[in-house]
Amino acid sequence: MLKHLSIKNVAVIEAAEIDFDRGFSVLTGETGAGKSIIIDAINMLKGERASKNMIRAGETKARVDGEFETDNISAEKIADILGTEAESQIIISREMNSDGKNTIRVNGIPVNLSMLKMIGEYLVNIHGQHDNTSLLSVKSHIGFLDSFGGEKTAELLRCYGSINSEYHRCKDELEQINTDEQENLRKKDMLTFQTDELMAANLRIGEDEELERRKLELDNASKISENTSVAYDMLYGSDEGTTHDLLWSAIKKLEEISDFSEDISAICEALRDAGYAIDEQARELKGYSDHVFYNEEEANEIEERLELIYTLKRKYGNTIADILSFYEEALAELGKIETSGERAAELEAVLTKLDADRKTAANALTEQRTKCARELEQRVQRQLADLNMAKVEFEVVIQNAEYSSLGADNVEFMICTNVGEQKKPLAQIASGGELSRIMLAIKNVLAGYDTDKTVIFDEIDTGVSGNAAQKIGEKLFSMSVKSQVLCITHLPQISALADTHYLIKKNVAEGRTLTQVTALDKNGRIEEVARTLTGAEVSVIARENARQLIEEAEVIKELIKKQTN
């Protein structure tokens, strides 16, 4: 349940701190006072998207904090999302800046919007006027029924969905094969040419680099030969003084005095190693110099090979690795085309089996929906009776339909509000007031409200008055006996039943509009209920009527508590 809500710089609310208790809490106020901002703030904590336009004019950021208390099951689910130990106290903070950046923390842990949305599902349910609109959409009725069907329906739907998806995947592949036959013939010719060309080239990775190095040697063979010969002579081969002779002469001199000093002995040893190394490299240089010559035939072959590689690079990739990758992919695609006839036959057989499996799965789903429809009818009928609509008949009609992602059913809610008349689609019958009560009945059946989850109703009483309003209020209060229910309303019959009554009031101070949220005491409640009774200046008679309405509500509440317990 929601224990505390803090709002700062959201729309016309500069700052509001609201403590909530269990039971039935009502929020009232004149139109435009800012009641919807309270819902917007809670929606922010639920993970709904919010526009930076919600930031109060003249401010750079807005912030909403909420403290929730939840049950063990929800605490475990939230802990799994956060990757922490389960905690019954959940504190959510969300800050929105004018630059569009959001900062969200849950129990001090940074989370993203999608994680917050998942967490919010375990804490708050919000139902508003848009739910009435969804009831009028026939497309949404199958979703209501499946939601009522719970995990069993969900599992059957997942099974059907998996088969249906595979069916369409195979069907699309088969259609692609059949429609692309001419294109495949053209593509086969092109792929055959490409793979033959690349196979004949017989490329290997690194070949181009080796050829470039060899080409460089051949192009500079004369200079290489000359320079290596001179270098050899300077190191070893000249009759004049060479590096070899000078170095070993120096070593001989040092050897004569090496016994006199360890340092000289070490130097001598190092120079001796260098001498051996120079001798070895000089011999290597001599061998290289003797075999360096320009081979015109080899040079031509290298030139031709490099030209082929450059041509293939222009056509198939920037590197030999890219070309070989293209070759493997082309081979695979060619193989796929060459076996497309066999694949088509395989797909035909698979589709026949999938079609039968899909029919079986759809029938199981229809059977489950039919069973759930009868139970949903009975439960909604009982809820409607509690809402002073006992003679209203509610029916869930299931008809065969073309296969879709949801099975092979059309689901529509039908209703008869007058005895003796034929049931008709909900959209053709229900008035605004009737629709609000029907929505409340269905939502009450579907939700199975958790005792530790906050349930919020945002002006669902639109178009309702009199006895119907009274019945809606009693139903909302009965729900609040075992859970926390918050309701934004304009109706005195509902606000009189509140355990806690909050007034949302708009004031103007220093040229700025401010919204204040105040928990009303007994006299404040009487004053506000009287205002909603008259809709104008509160009179003595209005106050007396309000007092009487609240007192009668207290009696009704005690009766409901006894019935619920």
Side-chain angles (χ1 to χ4, degrees), residues 128-142 144 394 411-415 417 424-439 442-443 462:
Q129 295 180 58
H130 70 278
D131 294 298
N132 291 3
T133 304
S134 68
L135 269 181
L136 296 177
S137 171
V138 176
K139 292 181 181 179
S140 69
H141 293 179
I142 193 169
F144 282 119
F394 176 79
V411 176
E412 184 171 12
F413 295 160
M414 307 289 283
I415 196 165
T417 55
K424 294 183 179 180
L426 194 61
Q428 296 180 19
I429 295 293
S431 66
E434 289 170 333
L435 195 60
S436 292
R437 283 181 285 171
I438 294 168
M439 187 279 290
I442 293 174
K443 282 290 185 180
T462 301

Side-chain angles (χ1 to χ4, degrees), residues 24 440 457 472-480 485 487 494:
F24 188 35
L440 182 58
F457 291 92
I472 288 179
E474 291 174 9
K475 176 58 64 177
L476 292 172
F477 180 80
S478 69
M479 292 167 54
S480 74
V485 176
C487 178
I494 294 177

Side-chain angles (χ1 to χ4, degrees), residues 133 173 239 289 299-300 330 342 384-385 401 418 484 489:
T133 304
E173 185 179 349
D239 293 336
S289 177
N300 290 336
E342 298 174 13
L384 289 173
N418 297 306
Q484 183 188 49
T489 183

Side-chain angles (χ1 to χ4, degrees), residues 226-257:
E226 179 184 346
N227 285 17
T228 53
S229 179
V230 171
Y232 173 76
D233 288 342
M234 294 173 70
L235 290 172
Y236 199 84
S238 175
D239 293 336
E240 302 174 2
T242 64
T243 301
H244 168 271
D245 295 337
L246 292 172
L247 179 58
W248 283 104
S249 294
I251 293 169
K252 187 175 176 85
K253 288 293 184 183
L254 292 175
E255 284 177 342
E256 294 176 1
I257 59 173

Side-chain angles (χ1 to χ4, degrees), residues 180-408:
D180 286 355
E181 185 174 356
Q182 193 68 34
E183 173 64 17
N184 284 341
L185 289 174
R186 185 196 66 78
K187 188 179 289 185
K188 180 181 178 182
D189 289 341
M190 180 183 69
L191 289 170
T192 300
F193 171 80
Q194 291 173 333
T195 52
D196 287 348
E197 182 179 34
L198 292 174
M199 182 184 295
N202 193 26
L203 300 176
R204 59 183 177 82
I205 293 177
E207 180 184 3
D208 51 346
E209 296 172 356
E210 293 176 9
L211 291 171
E212 290 285 1
R213 286 195 295 270
R214 182 56 182 155
K215 182 177 182 299
L216 186 64
E217 289 180 357
L218 290 173
D219 289 346
N220 295 277
S222 176
K223 188 172 184 179
I224 292 172
S225 178
E226 179 184 346
N227 285 17
T228 53
S229 179
V230 171
Y232 173 76
D233 288 342
M234 294 173 70
L235 290 172
Y236 199 84
S238 175
D239 293 336
E240 302 174 2
T242 64
T243 301
H244 168 271
D245 295 337
L246 292 172
L247 179 58
W248 283 104
S249 294
I251 293 169
K252 187 175 176 85
K253 288 293 184 183
L254 292 175
E255 284 177 342
E256 294 176 1
I257 59 173
S258 62
D259 292 339
F260 305 148
S261 169
E262 290 184 359
D263 291 341
I264 292 176
S265 178
I267 293 170
C268 184
E269 184 65 27
L271 289 173
R272 192 181 295 113
D273 291 341
Y276 294 142
I278 288 173
D279 291 348
E280 177 65 25
Q281 293 305 312
R283 286 190 290 272
E284 288 287 334
L285 189 58
K286 175 63 175 173
Y288 187 86
S289 177
D290 290 344
H291 292 87
V292 173
F293 61 91
Y294 180 75
N295 186 326
E296 185 175 357
E297 182 179 352
E298 181 185 3
N300 290 336
E301 290 175 356
I302 289 175
E303 194 70 42
E304 290 175 5
R305 185 65 175 172
L306 284 173
E307 183 60 34
L308 173 63
I309 293 173
Y310 297 153
T311 299
L312 295 177
K313 282 183 178 181
R314 286 194 298 270
K315 294 168 69 174
Y316 303 116
N318 294 325
T319 65
I320 290 180
D322 292 340
I323 295 172
L324 294 177
S325 177
F326 177 90
Y327 174 65
E328 293 297 329
E329 292 172 4
L331 276 180
E333 190 172 359
L334 184 60
K336 187 176 179 181
I337 291 173
E338 290 174 340
T339 59
S340 60
E342 298 174 13
R343 179 58 178 162
E346 291 176 6
L347 289 170
E348 290 282 5
V350 171
L351 280 172
T352 300
K353 183 178 185 308
L354 285 172
D355 190 44
D357 291 345
R358 183 172 68 160
K359 184 177 181 180
T360 300
N363 288 341
L365 194 53
T366 300
E367 184 178 341
Q368 167 69 2
R369 282 171 173 157
T370 301
K371 178 182 176 182
C372 291
R374 302 293 81 82
E375 187 176 353
L376 178 61
E377 289 169 352
Q378 294 174 12
R379 292 198 186 184
V380 170
Q381 208 75 54
R382 288 196 293 269
Q383 293 290 331
L384 289 173
D386 292 342
L387 291 167
N388 207 29
M389 299 178 76
K391 295 182 179 181
V392 170
E393 296 180 27
F394 176 79
E395 182 182 2
V396 180
V397 176
I398 301 176
Q399 295 179 323
N400 293 333
E402 296 293 327
Y403 287 111
S404 72
S405 60
L406 297 176

Side-chain angles (χ1 to χ4, degrees), residues 41-50 62-66 68 78 81-82 90-97 100-120 123:
I42 297 175
N43 269 322
M44 286 177 66
L45 297 179
K46 274 196 67 184
E48 298 296 329
R49 295 195 174 277
R63 180 179 176 120
V64 180
D65 296 87
F68 297 84
I78 293 171
I81 297 170
L82 295 175
I90 306 296
I91 299 175
I92 301 175
S93 301
R94 183 172 176 184
E95 186 173 282
M96 181 169 56
N97 293 286
K101 293 182 180 178
N102 273 266
T103 303
I104 307 171
R105 293 183 180 275
V106 178
N107 286 354
I109 299 172
V111 300
N112 57 35
L113 201 58
S114 61
M115 292 172 65
L116 180 60
K117 195 174 184 68
M118 288 190 288
I119 292 169
L123 300 174

Side-chain angles (χ1 to χ4, degrees), residues 8 127 149 203 219 238 322 325 341 357 410 449 514 523 561:
K8 294 180 180 178
H127 306 297
L203 300 176
D219 289 346
S238 175
D322 292 340
S325 177
D357 291 345
N410 279 330
Y449 294 112
L514 301 172
N523 290 332
K561 288 178 183 177

